Structures are given as C-alpha cells and as structure tokens.
Amino acid sequence: MTETFDPRRVAARLHGLRQAGRQEATDTFPLPADLHQAMEAQNLLAATDGIASNAWKVTVSPQGQAVTAPLHPYAEAVSGADIPWYPGLKFETEIAVRLGRDLPVRTVPYSRADVVEAISAVHLGAELLVSAVRESGSVSFLLFVADRLGNSGYVLGPKLEKSVVDTVGGTPLKVTHAGRTIFDGPAQHPKGDVLTWLVDYANDGLRPETSLKTGALITTGTLSGAIELTEPGEIDIELGNSRLSFSVSKG
C-alpha cells in the first residue's frame, strides 16, 4: 500500500471491523512508520471504544521494544462476566498484578525486586483476543499495536498469593470450554518469568509519564498459550487451588 498512514482513519477502520466481527489482511492497510504512529492510532481507537478502565496488557515487539494496550471490555468475574464471542476468538490464562505505588519513568533501571515491591495484589485472569488484522502481528507488529495488540476482553479472577509471581511456573492448570478440556498441563509463561515484560516496560524511557501509576492493573502474558474458542460457551479455569469461571457468548 502506498496510502499515507492517517492514524484517525486507521483507528476508525479498525473500530468498524471490530464492531462487525470482521478481519482484513495487513496489505489492505497503510502501515505505521514507527511506534509513535502506532500508539497514536491505538489511543484514537481506545477513545472511539470509550475505554476508561485502568487495565493494561504488556508485551514486547520482535525487536524487543516493550509495548502496552488497554484491556477492553474489562470485567471482574464476581459480577458474572460475559465477554462477546466472535469467530477467531482466542483465550489465554494469565496472571494480573495491581500496582500499590507508582513506577515513574526514571534513569536508574528498576530491578525485578523493585517491581515486585510496587505490586499490591496478584490475580488470576483471562484474556480474550481477536484482531481486526487477519495476520495479527505476524506481518506488521506496529499495525497490531494500533489494533490494541488484539485484545478483545479481559476477565479478572480471584486474588492469589503475591508469591505466585515467583512460583506459578509448573503449577497444574486445567481449562474447560463448553464442557471440553482445552488445556491440561503445567502453567508456563513464554519468558519463564511472568514479570519479564513488565520490568522491560518499567525501564522503557519512552513510555508515557502517566503509565504504571498506583491502581493500574497489568496482565503479564499467557500461561496456557493462545487457544482458539470455536464456539460460545462457559469457560472454567483451575490454576492450582484457584478457580475462575465466565462465559463467552454471541454478541
């Protein structure tokens, strides 16, 4: 595509596709030239979606740049969460952390221990994913950043012991969907340590000054891989002795 990247137009198009539950190929979009343009489009998409929750996902680009996107729709399972189902929707079991104090941008790097100290609560959670971009981030990661890193919902589950951020690897994890087992094995984060990407982001000097403030909820990456949900239905997660249940249903 030779079309100039217009963050507002791209955000409006991504919003329209998401509303319709549709996907289009990367090569039908003008592409962001850099992370700044991608984040500009993401912020416009978030504004169009009316996102107000202080809940975020964090990951890294193929080049190792830490990136975030807001989680939406966001629900807490105690209220009987129900997230819209669309064809291609994927599911991930995750650990989320809430900050009990600010992690301001600074020149001295944060250690992992610094980040752990700032965490006030740890929760079991579930992320739902479907991107308006057919290839997700495999062709243009920056376009995927603009599309809120594919996030299509988040359900916050019960509180866990804070030590889980150190010990969750290898914990028995079982997930059933619509009565079928879709995951049964040890919990395993792609980086081994669930806090890797959060520490990377805390040490990103280019992140907004408003990021990582007290009260922010940050989900830390999958423990189960990304599993496609081929139909609507109830989801049941058992991580060790903790449990989270919610449903995905046709919008």
Side-chain angles (χ1 to χ4, degrees):
M1 295 263 322
T2 53
E3 187 186 339
T4 306
F5 184 82
D6 177 342
R8 198 167 295 280
R9 286 182 64 182
V10 169
R13 186 170 164 201
L14 291 169
H15 177 74
L17 288 169
R18 281 173 165 269
Q19 292 293 101
R22 290 177 48 228
Q23 297 177 306
E24 288 184 4
T26 303
D27 64 11
T28 67
F29 290 87
L31 300 181
D34 52 30
L35 185 61
H36 174 76
Q37 283 193 343
M39 288 303 298
E40 197 176 349
Q42 185 196 106
N43 291 337
L44 288 162
L45 175 60
T48 306
D49 286 335
I51 299 175
S53 66
N54 190 14
W56 307 86
K57 68 180 289 184
V58 60
T59 187
V60 292
S61 75
Q63 292 73 37
Q65 171 69 49
V67 289
T68 60
L71 300 173
H72 178 79
Y74 169 77
E76 300 196 355
V78 288
S79 59
D82 195 352
I83 298 288
W85 178 88
Y86 297 102
L89 187 72
K90 291 181 180 175
F91 154 90
E92 296 180 350
T93 302
E94 305 198 352
I95 293 294
V97 301
R98 195 174 295 282
L99 296 182
R101 63 175 175 80
D102 294 356
L103 288 170
V105 176
R106 69 181 196 187
T107 51
V108 180
Y110 287 100
S111 67
R112 186 184 188 279
D114 292 334
V115 172
V116 170
E117 201 177 300
I119 293 169
S120 62
V122 177
H123 291 259
L124 177 59
E127 183 181 5
L128 289 311
L129 298 136
V130 62
S131 178
V133 182
R134 187 167 298 135
E135 302 85 358
S136 296
S138 63
V139 177
S140 170
F141 188 79
L142 289 175
L143 184 62
F144 189 53
V145 169
D147 192 34
R148 295 201 289 106
L149 294 169
N151 175 261
S152 291
Y154 197 82
V155 181
L156 189 71
K159 263 190 183 180
L160 306 172
E161 292 293 327
K162 188 172 168 178
S163 59
V164 160
V165 296
D166 302 319
T167 63
V168 71
T171 302
L173 173 61
K174 184 175 181 180
V175 184
T176 59
H177 170 240
R180 292 180 299 109
T181 300
I182 58 172
F183 186 91
D184 191 356
Q188 188 173 353
H189 189 273
K191 303 306 278 186
D193 177 5
V194 296
L195 294 183
T196 297
W197 293 330
L198 177 53
V199 175
D200 287 348
Y201 187 63
N203 287 323
D204 176 16
L206 300 177
R207 66 180 168 94
E209 294 287 344
T210 54
S211 60
L212 300 184
K213 295 288 192 184
T214 303
L217 184 85
I218 300 104
T219 196
T220 57
T222 185
L223 300 174
S224 59
I227 304 164
E228 186 164 345
L229 304 177
T230 54
E231 59 181 329
E234 187 83 12
I235 290 179
D236 230 357
I237 305 167
E238 290 179 63
L239 177 68
N241 296 319
S242 298
R243 192 164 182 166
L244 168 57
S245 298
F246 63 98
S247 55
V248 288
S249 50
K250 276 194 172 174

